[in-house]
Amino acid sequence: LRDGWRFALVDTDGITDPTGAYADAAAPGFDDSAWRQVAVPHDWSIEQTPTTEHGTTSGTGFLPGGLGWYRLALTVPAAYAGKRIWVEFDGVYMDSHVYCNGTEAGHHPYGYTGFAFDLTDLLHTDGTTENVIAVKVQNQLPSSRWYSGSGIYREARLVVTEPVHVARWGTQVTTPEVTAERAVVRVRTSVANDSGAPAEVEVASSVVDPDGRTVARTASTVTVDAQGGTETHELPVAEPRLWDFATPHHRYTLRTELRVGGRRVDTYDTAFGIRTYRFDPDEGFFLNGTHAKIKGVDLHHDQGALGAAISLDAVRRQMTIMKSMGVNAFRTSHNPPSPQMIQVCEELGIVMMVEAFDCWRTGKTKYDYGRFFDEWCEKDATEMVLAARNSPAVVLWSIGNEIPDSTSTAGLAMADRIIGAVKAADDTRPLVIGSDKYRSVPKKGSAADLMLAKLDGLGLNYNTAKSVDALHAAYPHLFLFESESSSETSTRGTYQEPEHLNTGENHTPGRRATSSYDNNLASWTMSGEYGHKKDRDRKWFAGQFLWSGIDYIGEPTPYNVFPVKASFFGAVDTAGFPKDMYHLFRSQWTAEPMVHLVPMTWNHEEGDVVEVWAYANVESVELFLNGNSLGTRSFDVKRTIDGRAYLETTEATGDDKTFTDGPYPGSYTSPNGSAGKLHLTWKVPYRPGELKAVARRDGKVVATDVLRTAGAAPAVRLT
């Protein structure tokens, strides 16, 4: 249901007027001829002018929400008479009511989960009478801590089936046994029967390999009544091709066919992958038996200037940029993802931590999900899992992020409800939480301590190395990882005082920008280099998720002032251009030889002495200014205490003011006793011209980076 919708933004404060001009907007005869025509997915907030009115905040990017109505007129073919017809939405933000021909079909509050309503008994199916589907959407602000968008921002569709059909999300595919010679594909099929009488249903399951060949099939018969029925098949697949970081194209398809009285009544395809993985508290993360660090990013769901309206191409572009940085993991912060995001992560070989909520009963903003938690948390957790459980990319379920209730006695019962719903829908993946509540080891017997007994792993937000080690010792059964790391703020092309951590921000109008020397940090965190080293030095630490991979609308830290509307946390800006932080992470996460110069422009003032850095993943870099060598700098080759090699400088970093003892006070110090930097440094008296970095491995040039002074623009033309 993409085209033909009409839309009206009724009230930007989000207040319903039951007696006003839109009181009958759900009625089929309502005159919507003056309403705008829009295509779905659609986000009305991104179309608005930033303002401090209507409940907006810096968190929402100063863009209004409000109350909106959508209406769609459609004629249903007579051939659909006698079938079941559903309307399905992948996401509507938020608090939506769906009507069909004036009758309410259903209500769905959470803006980040999908839902479907049965319209069979509400629709005209004579092929001539017009039907009207109407959707009321109410987004009173603030309702999320970030920019959410407003409206039918994910895809919508009609689903038409025979009375006997595979239920919505009715297949579950797992691979309980995987070896090089053979995999067992276990299929659990849920069959719905709305025919009014029990039916003998033949359930046939086929496995189609990545080349389109059927490699396994089986069938059996089950009696299905109005309560539905389930059937389980196990299909052996010889010499399975494994889904992996480097082989994401190794995806199989389960084809489910239902027959009643010899007549095929449904065909349902489910994409899946064959792979093994494990999170080990002492050894870290393994995919298909190979140890790998989680090289992850956190992303909110907006796509910069496109807003929240989902676009497969835009998502693919974002994640391809992330993949080029070396990313192999994505946390859906802090809500269930779109189907398109799951699809793209499968395509690119990126594993996923899928997260349910940013709050439970205790809200973080006035109109957020806390209003609906008690009635809806199990339903929404179940929907999250059902929508994603067959994806080979999904490896973790997260029950929440920085949840205020999670360290309270009442929160223990809330967690049980969510965990119970998740495990009922899928008991094959570990359960975790992303938390800022464990910067120190909790007291034994406290609610914070008891919460950890319910989980398989713990995601830490901005912990020091010392706190990570203390938690590992106190909770040896838990695997640990950083669910949010860095929170460095930077502006592409802005540089300030590299010798100072947390240099003062420039609040001059028109110059709200933060330094890109990895030295402008939120108050709760350490530098990007610090986070890398903390992760690198501990094999048992599963990895990290960078906050954030890409700038997003909302939370304009540190400029919490109108009209600044986008965050500064990203390694990449909202337009998709990499900042210097992108290259820091690329130097640590990729093997293809690279070198990147900081600053990334060579336009300065005469007399400036510029501190030039080089991020590189090779041992030595020589710097040239206008063809003259300014010297070669080299990394040392060091080893972690478990023997893994890495590159780092000799000199201490001065990046950890909490570290006050040992040989390098004031610097992060590795368990092997060393402290150093992940970049090479030159002090360069500025001269216009060409600055060139030449990276060498074993004396051979393997990568270069060149900056040239830009002259004055001869003209500016806007097209």
Side-chain angles (χ1 to χ4, degrees):
L1 302 177
R2 184 177 298 269
D3 298 311
W5 293 88
R6 290 193 175 269
F7 168 73
L9 179 55
V10 177
D11 178 82
T12 45
D13 289 313
I15 299 171
T16 302
D17 178 5
T19 63
Y22 297 88
D24 298 322
F30 181 86
D31 182 7
D32 61 15
S33 60
W35 290 16
R36 285 177 53 204
Q37 286 189 300
V38 298
V40 164
H42 172 247
D43 171 12
W44 82 66
S45 288
I46 198 66
E47 304 168 353
Q48 307 304 308
T49 300
T51 179
T52 56
E53 299 177 348
H54 311 302
T56 70
T57 65
S58 61
T60 68
F62 298 109
L63 291 163
L67 174 70
W69 276 94
Y70 294 85
R71 286 169 54 90
L72 178 69
L74 71 162
T75 302
V76 176
Y80 286 178
K83 299 184 184 295
R84 306 303 297 185
I85 305 175
W86 300 69
V87 64
E88 184 175 45
F89 297 90
D90 292 337
V92 179
Y93 200 91
M94 63 177 295
D95 199 10
S96 57
H97 294 257
V98 178
Y99 303 84
C100 182
N101 292 326
T103 298
E104 184 168 348
H107 171 220
H108 189 81
Y110 196 27
Y112 296 114
T113 48
F115 57 97
F117 298 133
D118 190 344
L119 305 185
T120 306
D121 298 331
L122 302 176
L123 285 167
H124 305 293
T125 55
D126 55 15
T128 57
T129 305
E130 191 174 75
N131 298 277
V132 173
I133 296 173
V135 184
K136 182 177 75 172
V137 186
Q138 191 169 12
N139 180 18
Q140 288 180 276
L141 297 183
S143 62
S144 282
R145 292 185 301 120
W146 53 87
Y147 175 80
S148 62
S150 301
I152 308 176
Y153 74 108
R154 293 181 181 171
E155 291 190 349
R157 64 192 65 84
L158 277 187
V159 179
V160 183
T161 71
E162 297 286 347
V164 175
H165 56 275
V166 177
R168 182 170 180 265
W169 306 129
T171 55
Q172 182 179 18
V173 185
T174 57
T175 52
E177 299 174 34
V178 181
T179 66
E181 294 76 30
R182 177 177 179 269
V184 173
V185 177
R186 181 176 295 158
V187 180
R188 188 173 185 270
T189 305
S190 298
V191 181
N193 181 3
D194 298 314
S195 67
E200 294 294 308
V201 182
E202 182 188 23
V203 182
S205 300
S206 303
V207 174
V208 181
D209 75 6
D211 296 326
R213 296 174 299 193
T214 300
V215 293
R217 57 163 57 94
T218 191
S220 57
T221 300
V222 60
T223 302
V224 182
D225 58 18
Q227 281 68 51
T230 61
E231 187 72 341
T232 300
H233 291 154
E234 291 197 348
L235 297 94
V237 174
E239 298 180 349
R241 286 186 268 177
L242 302 185
W243 185 93
D244 208 323
F245 297 131
T247 55
H249 55 286
H250 288 174
R251 285 179 291 163
Y252 289 76
T253 300
L254 167 71
R255 176 152 295 165
T256 304
E257 293 188 352
L258 304 184
R259 288 182 171 83
V260 176
R263 183 175 74 91
R264 185 173 66 192
V265 294
D266 202 5
T267 302
Y268 190 83
D269 285 356
T270 305
F272 71 98
I274 299 173
R275 49 92 177 105
T276 65
Y277 72 92
R278 64 187 175 97
F279 287 88
D280 188 292
D282 294 316
E283 296 291 324
F285 176 66
F286 292 79
L287 182 61
N288 295 322
T290 300
H291 181 265
K293 279 286 187 182
I294 293 292
K295 304 171 183 177
V297 289
D298 297 278
L299 296 178
H300 282 314
H301 66 284
D302 77 81
Q303 293 149 33
L306 303 181
I310 191 67
S311 159
L312 178 61
D313 288 344
V315 169
R316 188 179 285 121
R317 174 177 180 262
Q318 283 186 325
M319 297 310 293
T320 299
I321 294 169
M322 293 292 92
K323 179 93 171 179
S324 72
M325 190 170 75
V327 165
N328 65 12
F330 166 53
R331 175 188 180 211
T332 70
S333 47
H334 304 292
N335 47 261
S338 66
Q340 289 76 14
M341 179 57 83
I342 298 171
Q343 175 187 335
V344 166
C345 287
E346 281 186 23
E347 290 176 354
L348 296 179
I350 294 173
V351 298
M352 300 180 71
M353 170 179 168
V354 174
E355 191 154 78
F357 307 115
D358 190 48
C359 71
W360 296 347
R361 183 181 298 148
T362 301
K364 296 179 180 179
T365 64
K366 184 175 181 179
Y367 296 107
D368 68 12
Y369 185 72
R371 296 181 290 156
F372 308 109
F373 177 84
D374 280 328
E375 181 181 353
W376 286 87
C377 69
E378 286 104 338
K379 301 170 193 172
D380 286 317
T382 299
E383 174 71 14
M384 173 188 79
V385 174
L386 294 180
R389 65 182 177 181
N390 293 321
S391 173
V394 177
V395 296
L396 291 172
W397 301 123
S398 169
I399 62 174
N401 169 71
E402 297 184 354
I403 302 293
D405 295 311
S406 66
T407 50
S408 71
T409 301
L412 297 174
M414 298 179 209
D416 286 339
R417 294 175 61 190
I418 302 167
I419 290 169
V422 169
K423 287 186 173 180
D426 173 58
D427 61 359
T428 68
R429 293 173 174 87
L431 280 142
V432 300
I433 194 169
S435 184
D436 59 349
K437 313 297 183 188
Y438 296 93
R439 307 258 168 88
S440 60
V441 176
K443 182 181 178 181
K444 288 298 178 185
S446 66
D449 172 63
L450 296 174
M451 181 64 68
L452 297 183
K454 303 176 183 296
L455 301 172
D456 303 298
L458 174 60
L460 301 168
N461 291 2
Y462 315 110
N463 278 50
T464 65
K466 287 183 178 180
S467 69
V468 165
D469 290 338
L471 288 164
H472 181 52
Y475 296 97
H477 73 286
L478 286 177
F479 63 86
L480 301 178
F481 62 98
E482 191 112 23
S483 38
E484 291 180 26
S485 68
S486 184
S487 266
E488 171 202 287
T489 62
S490 62
T491 303
R492 189 167 55 88
T494 295
Y495 304 92
Q496 220 179 326
E497 303 173 32
E499 68 278 9
H500 293 145
L501 280 179
N502 282 335
T503 184
E505 299 91 22
N506 183 348
H507 283 271
T508 306
R511 294 191 63 191
R512 293 187 178 114
T514 60
S515 174
S516 291
Y517 276 118
D518 192 24
N519 64 338
N520 226 91
L521 313 175
S523 60
W524 52 82
T525 190
M526 305 288 188
S527 67
E529 289 201 13
Y530 180 101
H532 269 301
K533 291 180 286 189
K534 176 179 62 182
D535 176 24
R536 173 200 69 197
D537 289 340
R538 294 157 176 82
K539 183 181 179 182
W540 50 264
F541 200 62
Q544 64 175 313
F545 292 88
L546 167 66
W547 192 271
S548 62
I550 301 174
D551 282 337
Y552 52 92
I553 305 175
E555 293 188 327
T557 308
Y559 305 112
N560 191 9
V561 289
F562 181 83
V564 183
K565 67 178 189 296
S567 81
F568 289 67
F569 294 122
V572 172
D573 70 16
T574 54
F577 296 121
K579 305 183 197 177
D580 294 288
M581 187 164 65
Y582 164 96
H583 298 282
L584 163 62
F585 278 75
R586 188 164 68 102
S587 74
Q588 302 303 304
W589 282 353
T590 66
E592 182 74 21
M594 60 78 61
V595 61
H596 170 76
L597 285 170
V598 181
M600 66 165 67
T601 59
W602 196 239
N603 277 69
H604 304 277
E605 299 295 327
E606 290 286 349
D608 284 354
V609 176
V610 183
E611 183 159 319
V612 175
W613 294 5
Y615 292 131
N617 58 6
V618 295
E619 292 88 344
S620 68
V621 177
E622 186 172 9
L623 188 66
F624 295 87
L625 179 57
N626 296 326
N628 298 313
S629 176
L630 302 181
T632 298
R633 305 283 189 269
S634 297
F635 292 110
D636 298 330
V637 179
K638 303 180 182 180
R639 291 194 176 273
T640 60
I641 56 175
D642 59 282
R644 291 169 292 121
Y646 63 92
L647 299 176
E648 191 177 84
T649 66
T650 301
E651 71 268 27
T653 57
D655 62 356
D656 184 2
K657 306 309 181 188
T658 71
F659 203 97
T660 57
D661 54 9
Y664 306 106
S667 295
Y668 169 84
T669 303
S670 296
N672 64 11
S674 69
K677 300 176 180 178
L678 302 182
H679 63 270
L680 304 170
T681 307
W682 294 259
K683 297 278 193 177
V684 181
Y686 175 67
R687 298 284 185 276
E690 179 185 271
L691 190 70
K692 182 177 184 179
V694 176
R696 294 184 177 90
R697 177 178 288 162
D698 300 324
K700 180 182 177 182
V701 176
V702 292
T704 61
D705 190 24
V706 178
L707 308 177
R708 294 183 180 89
T709 304
V716 176
R717 179 179 297 123
L718 178 67
T719 54

